[in-house]
Short mmCIF file of all heavy atoms in Angstrom, two decimals:
data_model
loop_
_atom_site.label_atom_id
_atom_site.label_comp_id
_atom_site.label_asym_id
_atom_site.label_seq_id
_atom_site.Cartn_x
_atom_site.Cartn_y
_atom_site.Cartn_z
N THR W 1 -11.78 5.17 -17.80
CA THR W 1 -11.42 5.79 -16.53
C THR W 1 -12.50 5.54 -15.48
O THR W 1 -12.20 5.22 -14.33
CB THR W 1 -11.22 7.32 -16.71
OG1 THR W 1 -10.22 7.52 -17.69
CG2 THR W 1 -10.82 7.98 -15.41
N SER W 2 -13.74 5.63 -15.89
CA SER W 2 -14.85 5.37 -14.97
C SER W 2 -14.84 3.93 -14.48
O SER W 2 -15.01 3.67 -13.29
CB SER W 2 -16.17 5.69 -15.67
OG SER W 2 -17.26 5.26 -14.91
N LEU W 3 -14.62 3.00 -15.38
CA LEU W 3 -14.57 1.60 -14.99
C LEU W 3 -13.41 1.33 -14.05
O LEU W 3 -13.54 0.59 -13.08
CB LEU W 3 -14.44 0.70 -16.23
CG LEU W 3 -15.68 0.55 -17.09
CD1 LEU W 3 -15.34 -0.21 -18.37
CD2 LEU W 3 -16.77 -0.17 -16.32
N CYS W 4 -12.26 1.91 -14.34
CA CYS W 4 -11.08 1.68 -13.50
C CYS W 4 -11.28 2.23 -12.10
O CYS W 4 -10.87 1.62 -11.13
CB CYS W 4 -9.84 2.31 -14.13
SG CYS W 4 -9.31 1.46 -15.63
N SER W 5 -11.91 3.39 -11.98
CA SER W 5 -12.06 3.98 -10.66
C SER W 5 -13.09 3.23 -9.82
O SER W 5 -13.05 3.27 -8.61
CB SER W 5 -12.45 5.46 -10.78
OG SER W 5 -13.72 5.57 -11.39
N CYS W 6 -14.00 2.49 -10.48
CA CYS W 6 -15.00 1.76 -9.71
C CYS W 6 -14.56 0.35 -9.37
O CYS W 6 -15.16 -0.30 -8.54
CB CYS W 6 -16.30 1.68 -10.51
SG CYS W 6 -17.08 3.27 -10.74
N SER W 7 -13.52 -0.14 -10.02
CA SER W 7 -13.14 -1.53 -9.82
C SER W 7 -12.29 -1.76 -8.59
O SER W 7 -12.09 -2.88 -8.19
CB SER W 7 -12.41 -2.05 -11.06
OG SER W 7 -11.19 -1.36 -11.21
N GLY W 8 -11.74 -0.69 -7.99
CA GLY W 8 -10.90 -0.85 -6.80
C GLY W 8 -11.73 -1.28 -5.62
O GLY W 8 -12.89 -0.89 -5.47
N LYS W 9 -11.12 -2.09 -4.74
CA LYS W 9 -11.88 -2.55 -3.58
C LYS W 9 -11.96 -1.46 -2.53
O LYS W 9 -11.06 -0.63 -2.39
CB LYS W 9 -11.25 -3.81 -3.00
CG LYS W 9 -9.84 -3.64 -2.46
CD LYS W 9 -9.34 -4.95 -1.91
CE LYS W 9 -7.95 -4.72 -1.30
NZ LYS W 9 -7.46 -5.88 -0.61
N ASN W 10 -13.04 -1.44 -1.81
CA ASN W 10 -13.25 -0.47 -0.76
C ASN W 10 -12.65 -1.05 0.52
O ASN W 10 -13.15 -2.01 1.07
CB ASN W 10 -14.74 -0.18 -0.59
CG ASN W 10 -14.99 0.96 0.35
OD1 ASN W 10 -14.08 1.70 0.70
ND2 ASN W 10 -16.24 1.12 0.75
N VAL W 11 -11.55 -0.47 0.97
CA VAL W 11 -10.81 -0.99 2.11
C VAL W 11 -11.02 -0.07 3.30
O VAL W 11 -11.01 1.15 3.17
CB VAL W 11 -9.30 -1.07 1.78
CG1 VAL W 11 -8.51 -1.57 2.97
CG2 VAL W 11 -9.07 -1.95 0.58
N SER W 12 -11.23 -0.67 4.46
CA SER W 12 -11.30 0.13 5.69
C SER W 12 -10.16 -0.31 6.60
O SER W 12 -9.68 -1.44 6.53
CB SER W 12 -12.65 -0.02 6.36
OG SER W 12 -12.92 -1.37 6.65
N TYR W 13 -9.74 0.62 7.46
CA TYR W 13 -8.57 0.39 8.30
C TYR W 13 -8.93 0.48 9.78
O TYR W 13 -9.77 1.27 10.18
CB TYR W 13 -7.48 1.41 7.97
CG TYR W 13 -7.04 1.34 6.53
CD1 TYR W 13 -7.39 2.34 5.63
CD2 TYR W 13 -6.29 0.27 6.07
CE1 TYR W 13 -6.99 2.26 4.30
CE2 TYR W 13 -5.90 0.19 4.75
CZ TYR W 13 -6.26 1.19 3.86
OH TYR W 13 -5.87 1.10 2.55
N GLN W 14 -8.23 -0.34 10.56
CA GLN W 14 -8.39 -0.34 12.01
C GLN W 14 -7.56 0.82 12.58
O GLN W 14 -6.46 1.09 12.12
CB GLN W 14 -7.86 -1.64 12.60
CG GLN W 14 -8.60 -2.87 12.14
CD GLN W 14 -7.98 -4.12 12.72
OE1 GLN W 14 -7.82 -4.23 13.93
NE2 GLN W 14 -7.62 -5.05 11.86
N ASP W 15 -8.10 1.47 13.60
CA ASP W 15 -7.36 2.53 14.27
C ASP W 15 -6.13 1.95 14.94
O ASP W 15 -6.13 0.81 15.41
CB ASP W 15 -8.23 3.22 15.31
CG ASP W 15 -9.33 4.08 14.69
OD1 ASP W 15 -9.36 4.21 13.45
OD2 ASP W 15 -10.15 4.61 15.45
N GLY W 16 -5.06 2.73 14.95
CA GLY W 16 -3.82 2.29 15.59
C GLY W 16 -2.62 2.87 14.88
O GLY W 16 -2.73 3.69 13.97
N THR W 17 -1.45 2.44 15.31
CA THR W 17 -0.19 2.85 14.69
C THR W 17 0.44 1.63 14.05
O THR W 17 0.53 0.56 14.67
CB THR W 17 0.76 3.46 15.75
OG1 THR W 17 0.10 4.59 16.34
CG2 THR W 17 2.05 3.93 15.11
N TYR W 18 0.87 1.80 12.81
CA TYR W 18 1.38 0.69 12.02
C TYR W 18 2.71 1.07 11.37
O TYR W 18 2.86 2.19 10.88
CB TYR W 18 0.37 0.28 10.94
CG TYR W 18 -0.96 -0.10 11.53
CD1 TYR W 18 -1.96 0.85 11.71
CD2 TYR W 18 -1.20 -1.40 11.94
CE1 TYR W 18 -3.18 0.51 12.27
CE2 TYR W 18 -2.42 -1.76 12.50
CZ TYR W 18 -3.40 -0.80 12.67
OH TYR W 18 -4.60 -1.14 13.23
N GLU W 19 3.63 0.12 11.37
CA GLU W 19 4.92 0.34 10.73
C GLU W 19 4.98 -0.46 9.44
O GLU W 19 4.54 -1.61 9.39
CB GLU W 19 6.06 -0.08 11.64
CG GLU W 19 7.44 0.13 11.00
CD GLU W 19 8.58 -0.25 11.92
OE1 GLU W 19 8.91 0.55 12.80
OE2 GLU W 19 9.12 -1.37 11.73
N GLY W 20 5.52 0.16 8.41
CA GLY W 20 5.73 -0.52 7.14
C GLY W 20 7.16 -0.29 6.69
O GLY W 20 7.76 0.74 6.99
N LYS W 21 7.69 -1.26 5.99
CA LYS W 21 9.08 -1.19 5.55
C LYS W 21 9.17 -1.60 4.08
O LYS W 21 8.49 -2.53 3.66
CB LYS W 21 9.92 -2.12 6.41
CG LYS W 21 11.40 -2.10 6.13
CD LYS W 21 12.13 -3.01 7.11
CE LYS W 21 13.59 -3.14 6.77
NZ LYS W 21 14.30 -4.07 7.66
N SER W 22 10.01 -0.89 3.34
CA SER W 22 10.24 -1.28 1.95
C SER W 22 11.34 -2.33 1.90
O SER W 22 12.12 -2.48 2.84
CB SER W 22 10.65 -0.05 1.12
OG SER W 22 11.96 0.36 1.45
N GLU W 23 11.40 -3.02 0.81
CA GLU W 23 12.50 -3.94 0.58
C GLU W 23 13.76 -3.11 0.36
O GLU W 23 13.68 -1.99 -0.13
CB GLU W 23 12.22 -4.80 -0.66
CG GLU W 23 11.11 -5.81 -0.46
CD GLU W 23 11.45 -6.87 0.58
OE1 GLU W 23 12.59 -7.36 0.59
OE2 GLU W 23 10.57 -7.20 1.39
N PRO W 24 14.92 -3.66 0.70
CA PRO W 24 16.17 -2.92 0.46
C PRO W 24 16.34 -2.63 -1.03
O PRO W 24 16.06 -3.47 -1.88
CB PRO W 24 17.25 -3.88 0.94
CG PRO W 24 16.57 -4.77 1.91
CD PRO W 24 15.16 -4.92 1.40
N TYR W 25 16.76 -1.41 -1.30
CA TYR W 25 17.03 -0.98 -2.67
C TYR W 25 18.54 -0.91 -2.83
O TYR W 25 19.22 -0.29 -2.03
CB TYR W 25 16.42 0.39 -2.95
CG TYR W 25 16.71 0.89 -4.33
CD1 TYR W 25 15.91 0.50 -5.40
CD2 TYR W 25 17.78 1.72 -4.58
CE1 TYR W 25 16.19 0.94 -6.69
CE2 TYR W 25 18.06 2.16 -5.86
CZ TYR W 25 17.26 1.77 -6.91
OH TYR W 25 17.54 2.20 -8.17
N GLU W 26 19.03 -1.56 -3.85
CA GLU W 26 20.47 -1.57 -4.08
C GLU W 26 20.77 -0.99 -5.45
O GLU W 26 20.22 -1.44 -6.44
CB GLU W 26 21.03 -2.99 -3.97
CG GLU W 26 20.84 -3.58 -2.59
CD GLU W 26 21.50 -4.94 -2.44
OE1 GLU W 26 22.62 -5.10 -2.94
OE2 GLU W 26 20.88 -5.80 -1.83
N THR W 27 21.62 0.03 -5.47
CA THR W 27 22.05 0.59 -6.74
C THR W 27 23.18 -0.25 -7.29
O THR W 27 23.84 -0.97 -6.56
CB THR W 27 22.53 2.05 -6.57
OG1 THR W 27 23.58 2.08 -5.60
CG2 THR W 27 21.40 2.95 -6.13
N GLU W 28 23.39 -0.14 -8.58
CA GLU W 28 24.47 -0.90 -9.21
C GLU W 28 25.78 -0.12 -9.08
O GLU W 28 25.78 1.10 -8.98
CB GLU W 28 24.14 -1.15 -10.68
CG GLU W 28 22.95 -2.09 -10.83
CD GLU W 28 22.69 -2.42 -12.28
OE1 GLU W 28 23.61 -2.35 -13.10
OE2 GLU W 28 21.54 -2.78 -12.57
#
């Protein structure tokens, strides 16, 4: 658990407004 929590990259974000969209989900 300790190794996993340290292995993630440290990401920083630019101020602003951002839109994100998921791929269409289709049920059968």
Side-chain angles (χ1 to χ4, degrees):
T1 303
S2 171
L3 286 173
C4 290
S5 64
C6 293
S7 65
K9 63 180 183 173
N10 188 13
V11 178
S12 57
Y13 301 107
Q14 298 178 53
D15 289 355
T17 301
Y18 302 90
E19 180 179 280
K21 183 177 174 183
S22 71
E23 290 295 318
Y25 178 84
E26 297 185 41
T27 57
E28 293 184 24

